[in-house]
Amino acid sequence: MLHFPILRAGQPYKSLSVLDVTNFKTGEKIAELSQANSGLIRKDFSQAEKNKQTLNDLPVHELLTMCNNAAALFMKEELPINGATQSPEDYIRILSSTTGMPEVLCRKNMDKISFVLDEMETVLSGLTRGLDLSILDQGWGSENGSSLSYLCTTNSLGAILPNNSPGVHSLWLPSIPLKVPLVLKPGTQEPWTPYRVIQAFIAAGCPPEAFSFYPTDYSGAKEILLRSGRSMFFGGASTVQAWEKDPRVQIHGPGWSKVLFGEDQAENWQQYLDTLVDSILINSGRSCLNASGVWAPSHAREIAEALAKRLAKIQAKPMDDPEAQLAAFVNPAVAESISKLIESGLSEGGAEDLTAKYRDCDRVVAVDGCTFLLPTIIWCERPEHPLANTELLFPFASVIEIPQNEILKKMGQTLVLTALTEDKKFIQRILAAPNVDRLNLGPIPTSKVSWDQPHEGNLFEHLYKQRAFQSGHFLTNGRKFVNEI
Amino acid sequence: MRDSLSQKIKQAREELDSHVREMVEWHFNPETGSEFWLDYASKLDFDPRKEIGGYADLKILGHFEDTWLRGGPVRKWVPKPLLNEPIYVFEIGGSTGVPKTRVNIRDFQTDYEMFSETLSDDGFPKGADWLMLGPTGPRRLRLAIEHLAQHRGGMVFFVDLDPRWVNKLIKRGAHEELELYTDHVVGQALNILRVHENIHCLFTTPKLLEALCEKINLTKTGIKGIFCGGTEMNAQFNRFAREELVPGIDFVPTYGNTLMGLAVNKPFDPADNYAIIYYPPAPRAVFELVNPKNTEESVDYGETGRVMLTTLTKEFFMPRFLERDEGERAEPIEPFPWDGVANLRLLSSLQKSVVVGVY
């Protein structure tokens, strides 16, 4: 039986409290997950400064090399789990069996993580806007003739991690080359990826002290959020709500990502259909980057019908099918309750499930012992409808027709917006919209990530702050930096 | 099972049945019963004094419901001969709405004197003073700890924590405010520990112990014994406390309950792998582990069941109350030749809906 120990600054610790990790199809117990009591986590934070020093002692360029090496190890090697080892193939198979993500999508997420590790220098360049990273080694330096200093604001980055998609783990990876140790709370069904990433880093020469891994309950998660100087919190809207006003916590909740059409492009909607489908469908709609809304000032019904027709062709397939595009629900009751929620919204009137007529089965289906929700496109007559701005854990989107001048006001918070317009004035208004986080101008799916761009807040800015800095001890171009006043 | 233990179990069972008969006679006798139980008996089609010959017969009374303890008049619970005694009222719950109440005359003192007999003089030296860091207010705990300390020749310094306020902070997600409040409470404890050198014994809750140990090494302050209770503890916490939080200090987890008294943890035995196994103060209180789906059926030893608690004192009669806790039925042992409960925890069916006191 595989056992995931707690990692206390890299040191394995087997708890007397364990949680079973099970195959969602068969209920078979696959692994045990040691559970950290909150006091243990609290106590370990007393060593945070010491743990950070192990990364401070390494130059960024060495840490970047370790990231590159970790990428290869993560992808190709047998890596340890408490005395046993796990091959990449085993990792994919087992990850799929506890999360409901098809193996082919697990593989894509694995590629994504490996890519970020391999391209870490580019990622950091994006996050820091091209900063000379040796400044992080020395604490200060100069750029364009000006002195520059950055202060690390924390001894650790805490992360309360989700189960929904392994790809999200790429978001905390830059913390290591940015010299900030990780304190991770894995999801109950998905300890696999963070543990494998940690083992890849350690095998690549990274100090084990930089990695703490605490499977724990809500109380333990709270300790991580309270005691990490900076953290990331992945969760549903109600879960993350209590931490939204805490500047130390970067929230990764629902995305409510959208695609909008300008008046100038709505009539050309057919040429954008692939962008719309990819935005809604990729990664089985499980990511906060997936679009859950399509807003257009005209032709919206035609867009909705065409989307419904395309997406209704997507079928549920077994987890090991190389053509699988849909993830299964680990808990079938959740699929049923989501479907009921949709029906409840439809019963209010003013909305229609356009996919229903193209399917010859229910929205909830069982295939090969797994329960799925089939892609669903809802036509909504008004933006205030309860289904008009709803994000669900499968390929689901509502399509709304609304005048262009009302879109930005009514679409609400939007993590990723793909704007299909060439109207310069409208683009200026979109650029100024405070409710839009990431912006794609043109036919770029919401789910497509450019890794030289920050995501949902900039991790570098989360971990570092620029400090005013003057030195009287050195000269540049024969002139002191310090002006006397 | 050794003959001596079998004999002790048999004897304990006989004592329990005899005690049940005595308590039923007392609580349902028109001369000695309380207004509540006499009224209850008047609505029955049988006389409990005739029908109940031992513990097993209590089932004809059904299950005690703790909602009966909400509201007044509180004196309806006091047996007639005790009505003129000094009466304490202790509250249970109360984070929202009207708290439940239990009357007490001397029960809490008796319970804690019995508990005192289980404490070692090395960990809890006679004459040593105590610090109580935890909920005081309208609870039994404050007076009980004070009585325990006095019974052992010491006195108690108190630092209060209001669990009702803590529960409200948790419910509204005010984590930082909760931290500030915890710091405020722990800071007061540190001040007391710094200036009173004769404090060698501590009562506190698991969470407050963690918070206190973050600030101070309790061994260096002279603490020799810690009586820990108030909220759920599991084997992992027990191990963590013994190995890392307070190594070398006599750590005594307990399960206190205003409706029952004080259950004692089985003396530490490495073979138990830190499992916490509680034994009630029989025959004054009895644990029965029952099938949650059929509460008339006991589970086997080692099996998981819902805790059914019966309290049998002259001051309070509470037959077959279904607690919100579950655990594994534990076998009798020499010092406690009656059933205990291992790994006590919140009922799994309630685990997502109840905010457990996190104080």
Side-chain angles (χ1 to χ4, degrees), chain A residues 127-175:
Chain A
L127 293 174
T128 63
R129 299 288 92 190
L131 181 75
D132 172 2
L133 294 173
S134 68
I135 287 176
L136 303 184
D137 294 332
Q138 294 149 214
W140 59 271
S142 67
E143 254 187 9
N144 302 323
S146 297
S147 59
L148 201 56
S149 176
Y150 281 93
L151 174 69
C152 187
T153 52
T154 179
N155 286 323
S156 63
L157 174 70
I160 310 303
L161 301 170
N163 287 313
N164 61 325
S165 175
V168 299
H169 299 302
S170 54
L171 294 176
W172 46 263
L173 299 176
S175 187

Side-chain angles (χ1 to χ4, degrees), chain A residues 8 14 16 38 219 243, chain B residues 175 207 214 236 239 244:
Chain A
R8 306 175 72 179
K14 187 172 181 180
L16 294 177
S38 59
S219 168
W243 298 89
Chain B
H175 308 296
K207 288 282 178 199
E214 198 179 17
Q236 173 58 25
R239 170 195 176 190
E244 300 192 40

Side-chain angles (χ1 to χ4, degrees), chain B residues 75 113 145 186 264:
Chain B
R75 281 185 176 78
E113 285 167 20
I145 298 291
V186 169
V264 180

Side-chain angles (χ1 to χ4, degrees), chain B residues 82-269:
Chain B
L82 304 176
L83 274 167
N84 291 323
E85 297 288 324
I87 299 170
Y88 299 93
V89 176
F90 297 134
E91 292 186 0
I92 305 149
S95 289
T96 54
V98 180
K100 289 166 269 187
T101 47
R102 179 194 162 174
V103 293
N104 245 265
I105 292 98
R106 215 189 164 276
D107 265 356
F108 72 95
Q109 293 166 338
T110 307
D111 290 331
Y112 277 70
E113 285 167 20
M114 287 169 66
F115 173 65
S116 178
E117 299 306 310
T118 69
L119 294 176
S120 83
D121 286 351
D122 289 339
F124 299 86
K126 298 274 173 58
D129 293 334
W130 287 62
L131 169 66
M132 178 186 165
L133 175 60
T136 62
R139 284 163 208 84
R140 182 191 62 152
L141 195 58
R142 183 244 193 267
L143 287 173
I145 298 291
E146 189 153 49
H147 182 74
L148 174 67
Q150 289 172 351
H151 183 69
R152 297 180 70 84
M155 56 186 169
V156 187
F157 296 84
F158 289 97
V159 177
D160 182 39
L161 174 134
D162 180 356
R164 294 174 186 176
W165 180 238
V166 168
N167 282 340
K168 283 186 175 173
L169 293 178
I170 291 167
K171 278 183 180 169
R172 72 175 156 91
H175 308 296
E176 286 203 67
E177 206 176 326
L178 178 56
E179 282 293 289
L180 288 171
Y181 184 53
T182 306
D183 286 349
H184 164 67
V185 170
V186 169
Q188 295 172 71
L190 294 176
N191 287 338
I192 290 173
L193 287 171
R194 281 189 190 113
V195 296
H196 297 290
E197 292 181 354
N198 193 40
I199 295 177
H200 298 303
C201 309
L202 171 68
F203 169 85
T204 194
T205 66
K207 288 282 178 199
L208 285 173
L209 181 63
E210 289 170 3
L212 188 62
C213 289
E214 198 179 17
K215 307 280 185 194
I216 198 168
N217 180 324
L218 286 175
T219 310
K220 287 184 180 166
T221 64
I223 295 294
K224 293 181 164 64
I226 296 171
F227 163 19
C228 193
T231 56
E232 181 183 311
M233 272 172 278
N234 61 16
Q236 173 58 25
F237 179 82
N238 190 19
R239 170 195 176 190
F240 173 67
R242 287 174 188 279
E243 288 182 349
E244 300 192 40
L245 271 189
V246 290
I249 293 178
D250 189 1
F251 180 73
V252 180
T254 48
Y255 174 59
N257 182 321
T258 307
L259 297 178
M260 170 192 65
L262 202 58
V264 180
N265 184 28
K266 181 184 173 191
F268 181 72
D269 178 351

